[in-house]
Amino acid sequence: MSTEIRTFIIPDADAEAQSHLSAFLRTVEVQRIDTAYKDGAWRVLVLYQDLKRKEESQQIEAAISAALNGWRDRAALREGLSRDAILPDELVPEIARFAPTTERELSIIVGARDLDVGHYGAEIVQVVRSTLDELID
């Protein structure tokens, strides 16, 4: 989820410009607001996250996490190992957040945390891809 930036210029006593800014602020999750006054107008810089995109991202992450957990259960039964041995619990939300669609992308996410997914990389990536395909259809 990335932060976006938008700027507004609000001239003195311009109710319409103020109302436009207010309406915008109600539709986003504000991270930071900076203001400056120059030449009879406020300059407003808003760093924000779009709430609709945030909700969509959360839904995608939840779907990938659920799919990975289901796959871990099946793989653990098949291999006679624990779920955590197949894929550590702490990696599930990270993989869901970044949604890697190649083994290289997965190795970067996993490697940054000094963890290993062993020989399950191709299966993990396939679970992510399949989940994304289902969400798009």
Side-chain angles (χ1 to χ4, degrees), residues 5 26 62 64 71 81 95 99 102 114:
I5 299 172
R26 284 190 296 275
I64 292 172
W71 167 81
L81 299 169
I95 293 170
T102 67
D114 266 348

Side-chain angles (χ1 to χ4, degrees), residues 1-2 4 48-60:
M1 204 168 10
S2 65
E4 299 181 47
Y48 68 96
Q49 291 182 338
D50 184 294
L51 292 177
K52 184 176 180 191
R53 280 197 206 127
K54 181 179 178 183
E55 183 178 320
E56 289 170 354
S57 293
Q58 289 172 335
Q59 290 172 351
I60 291 167

Side-chain angles (χ1 to χ4, degrees), residues 1 11 19 66 69 111 121:
M1 204 168 10
S19 136
N69 284 325

Side-chain angles (χ1 to χ4, degrees), residues 57-114:
S57 293
Q58 289 172 335
Q59 290 172 351
I60 291 167
E61 288 177 31
I64 292 172
S65 289
L68 285 170
N69 284 325
W71 167 81
R72 286 194 319 159
D73 289 340
R74 292 186 301 279
L77 280 173
R78 178 183 75 221
E79 303 283 333
L81 299 169
S82 70
R83 285 170 36 126
D84 207 47
I86 300 294
L87 178 63
D89 286 337
E90 69 246 33
L91 277 181
V92 172
E94 288 299 301
I95 293 170
R97 180 172 163 221
F98 292 104
T101 56
T102 67
E103 287 186 65
R104 177 72 182 131
E105 290 172 353
L106 178 63
S107 71
I108 292 168
I109 294 164
V110 172
R113 282 141 190 89
D114 266 348

Side-chain angles (χ1 to χ4, degrees), residues 2-22:
S2 65
T3 300
E4 299 181 47
I5 299 172
R6 184 152 175 200
T7 58
F8 295 85
I9 297 176
I10 313 288
D12 284 340
D14 185 339
E16 185 177 338
Q18 290 174 10
S19 136
H20 181 68
L21 173 60
S22 294

